[in-house]
Amino acid sequence: MAALATVLQAIDERVSLKHVHRRLQAFARVLIVGTFMDDALRVMCDYRGQAATMKSVGWGVSLPPGSQAAVQSLMPSVFIATQTIGVLLILTRLAPQAGCLVLVAWAGVHPFMYAQQKNLEFLLESVTIIGGLLILLTSERAIATRERLLSGGGGVLGTPAEQKEAQANEKNQLLFAGRLMLCAVFVYYSVKMSIERVQALLGGPINHEDPIHALFALFVLLLLVSGTGLIIVGIKSRWCAMGLALVMGCAALYKHPWFITMWSSNSFKLDFVVGYEDVQVDAWLYSDHQRYFFFQSMSTVGALLLLVVHGPGPLSADEQDGPLEFASEKTVA
């Protein structure tokens, strides 16, 4: 700890950690809400297609024919409005906490609106996004508290000790829940890759892979399992979150290259969308879905970066005696 403090002080003499802290926090905030901005724009640009999707998944089938069409046509408008309002409340700083709650509610119902509740990966990605939003909500509450104190508005310092402790416990529990939910998709990938490695050892369907690829996959699996476990427990969480953010950012660029496929004249299979595995679509529609999953991954990257900024909180092995204070944080305390 003393060595880390020395390194931070040396860096702070050359680089303003206060500005780095604020810029990283702002960048993470934009990444977290980026998936909602993209989805609202996607629905707006393909409004008729979205209404047709609502019809294909069965929304409003129990209503009279005239009402069915009205409901199916109205639902995309609700999707656009909900996500746009949530994003604007956060980015304009008008009511960021309310914006977080709006987006949490939307992320919770989103898989069910598109009949993706049987897609385990999709569900867990939504859980991970909700975890990122809870971390963002914790951050916004901390910022609001500091601003009240700096403006002389009292707040926490003017409340009874029991209420102060209750507020601190609520914040710590919220951050802990966000940290656990953030790891949901990484746990899924760890289990999935572990099963694939076992199948390879037992002569399963991927036993034809070359040794170099097998060793690389095993190395990635070990990093993923160890990094996820350390974040959950709260050991070296900032460093693990930074590592996972870099890996996930690179993986999103590799797995969802919508910026490349959108220019293609070929057709593709929607093999990553449950219920559409054998459906052949043109490059534009394929890239549209790839872009959605790309920004979903980048939202998780943003949440991981926010974890780097604020740390795992007192409900962790690293910071149970108090958070590690960066130079930038001391200036606003």
Side-chain angles (χ1 to χ4, degrees), residues 7 84-86 112-113 144-145 171 175 201 203 208 228 233 249 302 318 333:
V7 171
T84 302
I85 290 171
F112 303 94
M113 304 302 294
T145 300
K171 172 193 168 186
L175 180 57
L201 290 174
H208 59 275
T228 303
V233 176
D318 272 347

Side-chain angles (χ1 to χ4, degrees), residues 45-88:
C45 293
D46 186 32
Y47 196 95
R48 290 185 179 179
Q50 291 295 317
T53 300
M54 293 301 100
K55 181 179 180 179
S56 68
V57 299
W59 284 105
V61 292
S62 61
L63 299 174
S67 300
Q68 283 184 24
V71 168
Q72 292 158 2
S73 298
L74 182 62
M75 289 181 73
S77 297
V78 176
F79 300 168
I80 294 169
T82 301
Q83 296 182 91
T84 302
I85 290 171
V87 169
L88 289 178

Side-chain angles (χ1 to χ4, degrees), residues 8 11-12 15-25 150 309 326-333:
L8 289 176
I11 295 175
D12 197 26
V15 181
S16 175
L17 287 182
K18 179 178 179 180
H19 293 303
V20 171
H21 176 281
R22 290 178 177 174
R23 288 172 184 172
L24 185 60
Q25 186 168 264
L150 289 173
V309 172
F326 284 89
S328 56
E329 295 171 327
K330 292 178 183 176
T331 59
V332 296

